[in-house]
Every structure is written in C-alpha cells, then in structure tokens.
Amino acid sequence: MELLWAAKAPMTFREIMDIATTEWNKTWKVQTLNTFLLGLQKMELVGAQKGTSCNYYYALCTKDQHIHNWTKKMVAECYGNSLGIFVAAFIGDGKLTREETEELKKLL
C-alpha cells in the first residue's frame, strides 16, 4: 500500500513487480503478487483499471483515510464504540502526562 499511496499515477502490475524485485529484494511469483493485489481490491483499498495491454492499480483512499477508517472499525469491534474503554486499554496501567491530558481535552 505504501507504494501505491506514494505513486503519482496508477501503476502497472509489471512496475509493481519490478519495484518488489529490485528495491525490496522480494522474489515473488506472479501469482503471489496477483493474489495480494486481488486481496487489496476485495478490501476496497486498491482499484484496478483495465488498459489496452495491462491493468493499472491505484489506491482508493489515502493513508490517513485508511488509518482513520481502520481505527474507527477497531474501536467499534473491540471496545463497543466506547472511546473511554479504548483510551483506558491504550493507557494500560500507566498514567497520562499533563500534556497528553490537555491534548485529549482539546480533542473532546
């Protein structure tokens, strides 16, 4: 996803595979990358546009949008949509600093 979020334009399968091979030192098979991209499409994170000779892949949301949506879903599913329970779980046995307390007050 980082690659597609950073891309200025949709990328071809071959471009993605080339970066995986040369920059990430991955020895993925075509089927592995294809399965990965299909999974991202099913999660509605990646879109695919058919070109004349190949598909072009692109992010359907920004990284910030994805993090926001993922966090909302996690709070709903794991903490019953309770921000208080989420914050308590996040803090654990620790205490908030004065700055953290003020930051939370501003958010609320």
Side-chain angles (χ1 to χ4, degrees):
M1 282 308 304
E2 294 289 344
L3 177 63
L4 294 175
W5 282 324
K8 302 280 187 236
M11 298 181 71
T12 65
F13 186 92
R14 177 57 35 210
E15 290 171 329
I16 296 169
M17 182 64 89
D18 287 346
I19 289 171
T21 303
T22 59
E23 295 181 26
W24 302 340
N25 296 320
K26 299 288 184 186
T27 53
W28 289 341
K29 293 181 181 177
V30 169
Q31 185 176 356
T32 302
L33 180 57
N34 190 49
T35 300
F36 184 69
L37 288 170
L38 285 172
L40 291 173
Q41 288 175 60
K42 286 180 183 177
M43 295 168 57
E44 298 181 353
L45 293 173
V46 170
Q49 178 182 357
K50 292 197 181 284
T52 54
S53 61
C54 60
N55 287 344
Y56 292 88
Y57 297 91
Y58 54 92
L60 291 174
C61 64
T62 66
K63 184 176 182 177
D64 287 341
Q65 289 169 329
H66 171 64
I67 291 169
H68 175 78
N69 293 337
W70 179 83
T71 304
K72 282 181 68 172
K73 182 178 178 184
M74 180 195 56
V75 170
E77 291 178 2
C78 298
Y79 301 101
N81 250 351
S82 170
L83 185 59
I85 295 171
F86 170 72
V87 171
F90 183 75
I91 295 169
D93 294 335
K95 296 196 179 245
L96 291 175
T97 65
R98 181 170 292 182
E99 292 83 14
E100 290 169 328
T101 302
E102 291 304 316
E103 187 176 345
L104 272 176
K105 285 179 182 178
K106 287 178 186 176
L107 289 172
L108 298 173

